[in-house]
Amino acid sequence: SVTALPPQVCAQLCRRPCYCPWVPPRCPRGSPLVLDGCGCCKICARRLGEPCDFLHVCDQSQGLVCDYSMAPAGTGATCNFEDNEEGCEVNGRVYRDGEVFQPSCKLQCRCLDGGFTCIPLCQEDVRLPTPDCPYPRRVEVPGKCCPEWICEARDQHLLRDAGAASPPLPYPCQEWSTEWSACSVTCGVGFSARVSNQNRYCRLETQRRLCMARPCPALPAASPA
């Protein structure tokens, strides 16, 4: 807890009128400008674990007080949480125990017992090629935090891989392919696949097409309540 000083000690430390430097100090990240203990000049607020005294006050916006409990004879005090409340410091800012914060738009974290745990806010899903989107690609979208999936056109896909692609063969390609697989679903629209080299560069690739073994039976109508 903060030790209250007698009025005569405050009078010795706090001189009137105030004499402050013209230019306020430049504070490190996470340390705001506050008035000193005399209420005269602006100083950088002390952070968690930093030394403090009557003039050099702690950052009250973070719930910090000047703790003299571990200091002999009232010297060597440090900034600590009030009532010994634990917290955590991330990027120069102190968060209280149980407080939820976002260090970036992609993470949400929670301070817990002096440490913190985070969960991603962007979905880490995987999109497989489909007949309507054979070349999915994840890209960063300007103005948005999380990357999004886009369907790349076949011509753009070939141009992007042109450097690694083989040049067209000078002789006709000997076409080869497997049989189409069974439909992926027993009813309704699904897809079947095969491996074939029937493409521009005569390379083996997996091809897919839509299929439907039979229509799905209609669902029974819901009975009235």
Side-chain angles (χ1 to χ4, degrees), residues 102-141:
Q102 288 187 221
S104 71
C105 61
K106 296 182 180 180
L107 289 176
Q108 178 173 295
C109 304
R110 182 179 183 180
C111 181
L112 186 63
D113 296 333
F116 60 94
T117 57
C118 301
I119 57 174
L121 297 178
C122 297
Q123 295 183 357
E124 298 295 334
D125 57 339
V126 176
R127 181 167 182 173
L128 299 177
T130 57
D132 59 333
C133 185
Y135 302 110
R137 188 160 63 96
R138 202 168 191 174
V139 298
E140 297 288 342
V141 181

Side-chain angles (χ1 to χ4, degrees), residues 28-34 44-50 57-66 79-101 111:
R29 186 175 181 180
S31 178
L33 274 174
V34 296
C44 297
R46 297 299 172 93
R47 297 176 294 182
L48 180 65
E50 294 183 343
V57 297
C58 302
D59 186 3
Q60 296 182 359
S61 66
Q62 299 296 321
L64 300 178
V65 295
C66 198
C79 292
N80 200 357
F81 285 104
E82 193 172 6
D83 298 329
N84 294 326
E85 182 183 1
E86 293 186 352
C88 53
E89 183 176 358
V90 181
N91 296 331
R93 182 173 178 181
V94 179
Y95 299 93
R96 296 186 178 185
D97 188 63
E99 185 176 357
V100 178
F101 61 96
C111 181

Side-chain angles (χ1 to χ4, degrees), residues 12 47 61 82 100 122 126 172 195 199 203 207 210 213-214 223:
Q12 294 176 1
R47 297 176 294 182
S61 66
E82 193 172 6
V100 178
C122 297
V126 176
V195 178
N199 53 63
R203 293 185 302 181
Q207 299 175 346
L210 294 176
R214 60 184 178 87
S223 58

Side-chain angles (χ1 to χ4, degrees), residues 8 16 30 37 40 46 48 67 75 91 119 151 156 168 171 211:
Q8 58 270 21
R16 293 292 189 270
C40 288
R46 297 299 172 93
L48 180 65
D67 185 8
T75 60
N91 296 331
I119 57 174
C151 293
Q156 294 177 351
Y171 51 86
C211 59

